Amino acid sequence: MSHRSAPETTVPDPSVPDPVLDAERAHLARAEACLAQMRVAATAVTDAGVDAWASERLGAARAERLRALAADPGVPPFFGRTDSPYETFHIGRRHVRDDAGDPVVIDWRAPMSRPFYQASAVEPQGLSRRRRFGFAGGELTGYEDEHLTADDGESAFLRSEIERPRSGPMRDIVATIQPDQDDIVRAPLAESVCVQGAPGTGKTAVGLHRAAYLLYTHGGQLARTGVLVVGPNRAFLRYIEQVLPTLGEVDVEQTTVAQLTARVPVRAVDRPEVAVLKGDARMAEVLRRALWGEIRKPADDVLVPLVGRRYRVPVERLKRYVDDLRRRARGDDDQQLLHYAAGRERLAMLLAEDARRQKEAAGGSPTDAETRRAARSPEVRAFCDEVWPARDAAGLLLALYTDEALLARAARGVLTDDERALLRWDAAPRSARTAPWTEADAVLADEAAGLLERTSGYGHVVVDEAQDLSPMQCRAVARRLAAGSLTVLGDLAQATSPWSSSDWARTLADLGRPGAVVRPLTRGYRVPAEVLDYANRLLPLIAPGLPPASAVRSEPGALRVRPVAGLAGPLAEVVAELAAAPGSIGVVCADAEVAELARLLTGAGVPAAVLGDDGEAPDRIAVVPATLAKGLEFDAVVVVDPAAIVAAEPRGLHRLYVVLTRAVSTLVVLHRGELLEALTAHPAL
């Protein structure tokens, strides 16, 4: 068997001089000084006083620059170095230059930084050495050299960084990006990418770093159009919120689908079968018919007032105007697609312009302002109200649910009689404001708003946990894409929603990017092999077509499965034992058991707090509802009563797979009663 030696790791003895370490520490001090000087220079930018607009823009640019250069306590300016026969570069989270403009640290996103992530013994990419650095509290404590030969073994510094305790929010992974991840991060802006990532493969981090990379590479374009990150819930957003600012990107909007589609106040919950129907893509056609079906054929001529006279527009021309506008709304011609509200305004102008042409034919010359006044006249508005009535999103949805004739007409041939019955409200609320709207209704209202008016789009959208989006939620995201590109992140094995698909084709089609390339990530960097192998035993049941993920590291003793008669003593005992080591602890259970477990722990003197959907994360020990665990990581995880998690929802096995893969170092499973058969054959038992 061949032996691969580890890279040369140097952790200095304070009593022995190390000229290499001294030189690197000097470069670190220089980089920190240069970065501080860059902040001073940004602060010193003065206003030339050209005009108010220029002053406002200069102030905004200066504030943005200062935020991007803000100091990150404990985060050093660089984490690696590349050496070639011709030049040496230190690689860091952002570019640092000296007073002469020469680079002191190269931004990790720059093309010349890519060999740091991609170089190997097979393809050294011009490098003779890759150096990684070890830090503690911002102080450089050691270094490790890889000479990019076949004898280079596993990097101790790389493994140490991957395994570092996970207390607090998610961190960037710029020091540990692997070649397969780097390929996705640096994919072209025009390319939409779908990342099928198994647990621990870093798909969320890859998506965020891709956003940072695109902002660096295409800053001018994306500064105008913006970048949007869509997560599954506020707890998840709270977990990831510091990643992009740490990388110097402070102007990325991060939101959830619920916040994105908050068109109506949500105060009710749908039954599962109703939620599934409202999330079905067919509802888009029902809404389209309901809205455009309100347009009526003109029945009589209209007299349009213009500069003291009235001009008759005959009914035949009125019919033609309405028909032409409706064709544009259906996309039947090559003109830009027309939205409903714009069509109504355009119809009013067509009448006013018709009167203008009549006046010009008689020798008059009405102005543009006079023509616009004619379009706003009571006579024209009354005609539009009759033929092309004004609508709002909430009102349209309320009418659809309460007007049986409207629903029957809009859903004919699209929904069954039973499905229409699921949508109908027995009693009409007094107004749209007081209606018992649900989250699915908010998404439908957003669809209706998109029919009424154009939705503003972004240059790039990153959507995480996309396997759980309903078709209608996908359409809501797609409306924000405009002509931009998309990064889709998810794992089909973690699909817990009732509308989840078994492959990515339908989701990508609903997101408006059916041609997106699916990039698999199957190497787990965060989850130990013992934990991942245990969870993988569920894959034949929940996602038989997916290959199991493999872990790059093994941690003997990382998995413990323990039967218990009761939870009061064993739970507090296990959590207290885990709390003796540094790092975060997540106690994950079925949602219905959260309050009981929190009471048991606090009653035993263990300082635990419940993780809520408000995004507020407990400091160290969190009791986590199973439905909020997705996307989160903890150093140690205690899964309580896996059978209860499975029984709590139709796709409970998928949910269990999620919670079993949240641990970075240690997983403890406490179960009352029989363990699931799929898990009992594991050697750990």
Side-chain angles (χ1 to χ4, degrees):
M1 178 181 294
S2 63
H3 174 71
R4 297 181 67 198
S5 61
E8 299 173 4
T9 302
T10 300
V11 179
D13 181 344
S15 63
V16 180
D18 185 333
V20 174
L21 191 65
D22 290 342
E24 294 294 3
R25 283 173 171 166
H27 193 82
L28 177 66
R30 181 181 177 224
E32 289 173 336
C34 290
L35 186 57
Q37 184 57 38
M38 290 169 66
R39 295 189 196 104
V40 172
T43 305
V45 174
T46 58
D47 186 353
V50 177
D51 55 46
W53 182 86
S55 297
E56 180 182 350
R57 296 306 305 154
L58 177 63
R62 181 169 51 200
E64 180 179 346
R65 177 66 172 159
L66 287 171
R67 289 199 306 273
L69 292 171
D72 299 310
V75 178
F78 59 79
F79 50 80
R81 174 177 138 172
T82 57
D83 293 1
S84 75
Y86 312 104
E87 54 194 354
T88 295
F89 294 123
H90 284 77
I91 313 300
R93 288 167 175 79
R94 64 196 68 183
H95 181 77
V96 180
R97 65 177 185 273
D98 61 17
D99 289 339
D102 295 326
V104 176
V105 178
I106 302 298
D107 193 296
W108 67 276
R109 297 165 288 189
M112 61 189 68
S113 297
R114 190 168 195 188
F116 179 81
Y117 300 106
Q118 292 285 345
S120 65
V122 176
E123 182 53 65
Q125 300 201 9
L127 299 189
S128 57
R129 176 172 57 194
R130 172 169 47 213
R131 177 171 288 171
R132 302 182 190 275
F133 298 102
F135 292 90
E139 180 182 352
L140 201 161
T141 57
Y143 62 92
E144 177 185 79
D145 285 341
E146 298 173 69
H147 296 283
L148 302 172
T149 68
D151 292 331
D152 282 330
E154 181 181 55
S155 165
F157 277 19
L158 183 62
R159 174 166 177 159
S160 175
E161 176 65 20
I162 289 175
E163 297 175 359
R164 195 151 51 102
R166 300 296 294 179
S167 295
M170 183 180 182
R171 298 187 299 265
D172 67 67
I173 62 166
V174 288
T176 63
I177 293 174
Q178 298 299 290
D180 55 344
Q181 298 172 327
D182 188 64
D183 287 336
I184 297 171
V185 167
R186 297 176 193 264
L189 173 61
E191 182 178 330
S192 290
V193 177
C194 174
V195 181
Q196 162 55 46
T201 56
K203 58 182 176 295
T204 295
V206 166
L208 295 174
H209 286 67
R210 173 159 164 74
Y213 169 78
L214 293 176
L215 284 163
Y216 174 88
T217 309
H218 306 278
Q221 178 179 346
L222 292 178
R224 297 189 302 271
T225 56
V227 173
L228 175 69
V229 175
V230 182
N233 52 57
R234 288 179 292 175
F236 176 84
L237 292 181
R238 183 64 176 262
Y239 178 60
I240 69 169
E241 66 182 353
Q242 291 305 315
V243 173
L244 288 167
T246 300
L247 299 173
E249 302 299 344
V250 294
D251 287 330
V252 176
E253 184 178 348
Q254 301 185 36
T255 188
T256 65
V257 173
Q259 292 171 312
L260 203 62
T261 60
R263 301 280 184 175
V264 293
V266 174
R267 52 172 62 95
V269 177
D270 281 315
R271 302 194 312 274
E273 65 273 20
V274 179
V276 170
L277 176 59
K278 290 179 179 179
D280 194 300
R282 292 176 296 161
M283 289 300 299
E285 175 62 14
V286 173
L287 286 170
R288 190 194 68 80
R289 290 184 181 184
L291 177 63
W292 291 96
E294 292 295 284
I295 298 175
R296 303 174 181 86
K297 286 189 175 184
D300 203 351
D301 301 346
V302 174
L303 294 174
V304 179
L306 179 63
V307 196
R309 287 196 58 185
R310 293 175 179 270
Y311 295 88
R312 183 180 299 277
V313 181
V315 67
E316 292 306 318
R317 283 213 296 269
L318 294 174
K319 289 179 180 179
R320 187 170 69 249
Y321 293 152
V322 172
D323 288 344
D324 288 346
L325 290 173
R326 292 192 68 171
R327 278 196 296 273
R328 284 190 58 190
R330 291 196 302 266
D332 291 349
D333 52 34
D334 295 332
Q335 299 183 65
Q336 184 178 1
L337 192 67
L338 190 70
H339 291 82
Y340 184 90
R344 174 181 161 89
E345 294 303 312
R346 182 61 187 146
L347 179 61
M349 281 302 300
L350 286 174
L351 268 67
E353 289 166 355
D354 191 301
R356 178 178 184 167
R357 287 192 298 273
Q358 293 183 48
K359 187 173 183 63
E360 289 173 340
S365 56
T367 65
D368 291 343
E370 290 167 338
T371 305
R372 288 193 295 270
R373 279 197 296 272
R376 296 192 298 269
S377 66
E379 292 85 348
V380 172
R381 288 300 177 189
F383 168 78
C384 290
D385 288 342
E386 175 65 27
V387 173
W388 200 296
R391 287 288 181 262
D392 66 89
L396 175 67
L397 200 57
L398 181 62
L400 189 69
Y401 290 163
T402 57
D403 185 336
E404 189 169 349
L406 172 62
L407 178 58
R409 184 170 63 251
R412 184 177 296 115
V414 179
L415 304 180
T416 67
D417 292 344
D418 290 341
E419 287 173 329
R420 292 201 302 270
L422 289 176
L423 293 177
R424 281 198 299 270
W425 285 357
D426 295 331
R430 284 178 293 179
S431 68
R433 185 183 296 248
T434 61
W437 301 117
T438 66
E439 287 191 3
D441 292 329
V443 176
L444 291 177
D446 188 74
E447 177 79 22
L451 293 170
L452 289 164
E453 297 180 329
R454 180 179 174 274
T455 304
S456 298
Y458 293 81
H460 191 79
V461 177
V462 179
V463 54
D464 208 344
E465 303 298 346
Q467 75 280 349
D468 282 334
L469 295 180
S470 72
M472 292 304 297
Q473 288 174 325
C474 287
R475 289 177 61 89
V477 173
R479 275 192 295 281
R480 273 76 183 179
L481 270 175
S485 55
L486 181 68
T487 298
V488 181
L489 310 170
D491 179 14
L492 297 175
Q494 299 183 55
T496 54
S497 66
W499 40 69
S500 296
S501 178
S502 59
D503 62 58
W504 284 109
R506 192 193 73 183
T507 299
L508 293 174
D510 290 332
L511 285 167
R513 296 296 182 271
V517 178
V518 179
R519 303 276 194 95
L521 288 177
T522 58
R523 297 181 66 202
Y525 300 100
R526 300 292 303 169
V527 185
E530 291 75 9
V531 173
L532 197 54
D533 291 345
Y534 184 62
N536 280 345
R537 298 194 66 81
L538 296 175
L539 281 181
L541 300 176
I542 61 176
L546 285 183
S550 60
V552 299
R553 62 189 180 94
S554 175
E555 291 288 345
L559 172 66
R560 286 182 273 163
V561 181
R562 179 177 169 183
V564 294
L567 292 174
L571 177 61
E573 173 191 325
V574 167
V575 174
E577 176 191 347
L578 294 172
S584 57
I585 301 170
V587 179
V588 189
C589 60
D591 291 27
E593 297 185 348
V594 167
E596 178 193 356
L597 297 195
R599 180 181 56 79
L600 289 176
L601 289 171
T602 55
V606 178
V610 174
L611 176 72
D613 190 31
D614 59 2
E616 291 294 331
D619 291 335
R620 177 88 194 284
I621 303 173
V623 180
V624 183
T627 56
L628 291 184
K630 191 173 296 182
L632 306 182
E633 285 182 344
F634 302 90
D635 287 292
V637 170
V638 182
V639 175
V640 180
D641 268 349
I645 294 173
V646 172
E649 54 186 309
R651 296 177 71 90
L653 278 174
H654 293 76
R655 184 75 67 187
L656 180 59
Y657 178 78
V658 171
V659 304
L660 289 175
T661 54
R662 301 303 95 199
V664 173
S665 301
T666 304
L667 172 66
V668 180
V669 178
L670 300 180
H671 65 96
R672 294 178 287 192
E674 293 296 323
L675 195 64
L676 295 172
E677 183 179 353
L679 301 176
T680 56
H682 193 273
L685 303 180

